Amino acid sequence: MKLSLRGILLFVLLIFFINYYIGHLRMEQSSHLLKFASSFIPSYYTQRGAQSGTTNSTDLAKFMRSREILYEKRRKRVNDVCLKYGQDLHRRDDQIAGSFMVSEENLIVYCRMGKVGSSTWMQYFLNMDKSDDLKAQIKDGASPHSCISRHFRLYPREIIHEYNAYLLVVFVRHPFERLASAFEDKINSTRDEQFTSWRKKFTKTYGDLSFNSFIQHVLYEFESSCSLADCKVNHHWQPFYDQCGFCNVSFDVIGTLDEFQSDMIYIQERLHRPNIFNLTIRANSALQTSQESTIREKTLEYFKELKKEQIRLLLHHYQIDFELFGYESDEYQIDMQL
């Protein structure tokens, strides 16, 4: 059968439109998948952008501005609380210098506090070290926290205010979730060998390794070793206000554990060093949210084991941390008349 020229043209056009339609559907599907994946991370910051430093400048500027507004609000809240309590919350440089780490090369000062992402920050600082000395020490069995923090430490004789030109960074989290995390990591788990003697002591003193026993010990430390002017309890549950001198130091970034990803992107961009932390930006914010939800749920379950008086005392000892950073405690005060 012979086809006319018109028939051939119509057939070619038909094939063209079919291919175009299929291609369009594929592009739409890819677009939806891309939107779905990017919804888990800041929209301006793709994995390619994280690695190469290329971002959408307009979206990046909006993001940076939104974070700066947030940090300014947090600084104002801290300042208001400091004015409320006066000199009781002020700390001398030599009292708090041991909590600070500084990278002169990268112009960043970080105040580390236990159970607020400090292990991740140790890895970041390790990556900043150009020599292989630290890695060799850790390979030989040295404690990563000890040797890394010592290498980058801020000596007591140095005045913290001399580093105002640097980016000053600190991270916080809900005080009660931090307690639950400390219990999970240090007492309920055998991963941390440094706490082996603690676990034995707990069992001998309290009869078991329950959360209730852990809180009994925490409260004992507070009652015997803590005052508003100086709180010498274990640094994994030591109040934030006592570790980083919030009433002495104006932090550029007061980050939170549940917004860790966004805070780290801001810090990286603010330093103008796209690869400084070797961040792996991927669709993991949903996982992070899931983990935070899990620790929140666990914390609520743990607090059901406590007596009302124990919760009341915890609220008393961590009251200033709650005030400084605007955390709520209502959901932990089950059937309590305070």
Side-chain angles (χ1 to χ4, degrees), residues 29-44:
Q29 186 179 34
S30 298
S31 176
H32 287 312
L33 286 172
L34 181 60
K35 287 179 181 178
F36 176 77
S38 64
S39 68
F40 290 103
I41 57 177
S43 59
Y44 67 89

Side-chain angles (χ1 to χ4, degrees), residues 84-317:
K84 174 183 175 180
Y85 287 93
Q87 287 298 315
D88 285 337
L89 295 189
H90 285 262
R91 298 293 184 267
R92 300 187 313 273
D93 283 349
D94 64 307
Q95 285 181 290
I96 59 177
S99 298
F100 283 80
M101 299 170 62
V102 57
S103 171
E104 303 275 359
E105 180 183 353
N106 295 293
L107 303 178
I108 184 170
V109 175
Y110 163 68
C111 187
R112 65 189 183 102
M113 297 189 286
K115 304 314 300 170
V116 197
S118 58
S119 295
T120 302
W121 270 96
M122 291 303 103
Q123 184 61 53
Y124 291 158
F125 271 91
L126 182 63
N127 291 339
M128 292 184 214
D129 183 41
K130 300 301 182 183
S131 70
D132 293 325
D133 294 344
L134 283 177
K135 296 180 179 68
Q137 290 178 45
I138 294 170
K139 187 177 180 180
D140 290 340
S143 166
H145 270 269
S146 297
C147 63
I148 296 171
S149 61
R150 185 168 56 248
H151 182 81
F152 289 98
R153 67 183 167 182
L154 187 71
Y155 288 91
R157 67 174 182 272
E158 296 178 298
I159 305 301
I160 293 172
H161 296 90
E162 290 181 358
Y163 291 91
N164 281 342
Y166 289 38
L167 188 70
L168 274 68
V169 176
V170 68
F171 278 78
V172 298
R173 72 186 299 185
H174 193 290
F176 288 173
E177 291 173 18
R178 182 177 176 226
L179 278 175
S181 179
F183 170 72
E184 285 274 311
D185 189 41
K186 306 302 180 184
I187 308 301
N188 201 36
S189 169
T190 58
R191 289 175 299 182
D192 194 333
E193 295 181 358
Q194 293 182 348
F195 269 75
T196 300
S197 60
W198 281 69
R199 287 187 284 271
K200 290 179 180 178
K201 178 182 178 181
F202 274 35
T203 303
K204 183 178 180 180
T205 305
Y206 303 107
D208 58 32
L209 294 176
S210 66
F211 184 71
N212 190 296
S213 296
F214 169 67
I215 294 301
Q216 286 185 60
H217 179 80
V218 169
L219 291 174
Y220 168 76
E221 283 194 14
F222 271 105
E223 294 299 325
S224 61
S225 308
C226 186
S227 67
L228 193 59
D230 190 16
C231 193
K232 297 183 183 301
V233 302
N234 185 283
H235 71 276
H236 291 98
W237 46 86
Q238 184 181 7
F240 295 140
Y241 73 81
D242 195 58
Q243 295 190 62
C244 290
F246 287 95
C247 296
N248 301 69
V249 181
S250 181
F251 287 94
D252 299 292
V253 176
I254 301 177
T256 61
L257 205 61
D258 49 346
E259 294 182 349
F260 193 84
Q261 187 88 334
S262 294
D263 291 324
M264 292 309 304
I265 292 171
Y266 172 86
I267 294 167
Q268 187 166 264
E269 293 295 331
R270 175 74 183 271
L271 294 172
H272 304 293
R273 287 166 167 78
N275 300 311
I276 182 175
F277 301 120
N278 293 330
L279 291 178
T280 303
I281 306 301
R282 56 185 182 275
N284 67 348
S285 294
L287 175 60
Q288 180 174 306
T289 302
S290 174
Q291 290 171 339
E292 288 301 309
S293 298
T294 300
I295 193 63
R296 188 171 296 115
E297 291 167 3
K298 282 187 175 182
T299 306
L300 287 167
E301 286 300 313
Y302 283 141
F303 267 66
K304 291 178 183 178
E305 300 177 20
L306 303 181
K307 297 176 182 178
K308 294 178 182 179
E309 180 63 10
Q310 289 176 306
I311 299 176
R312 187 191 70 78
L313 288 171
L314 288 174
L315 287 168
H316 168 71
H317 292 304

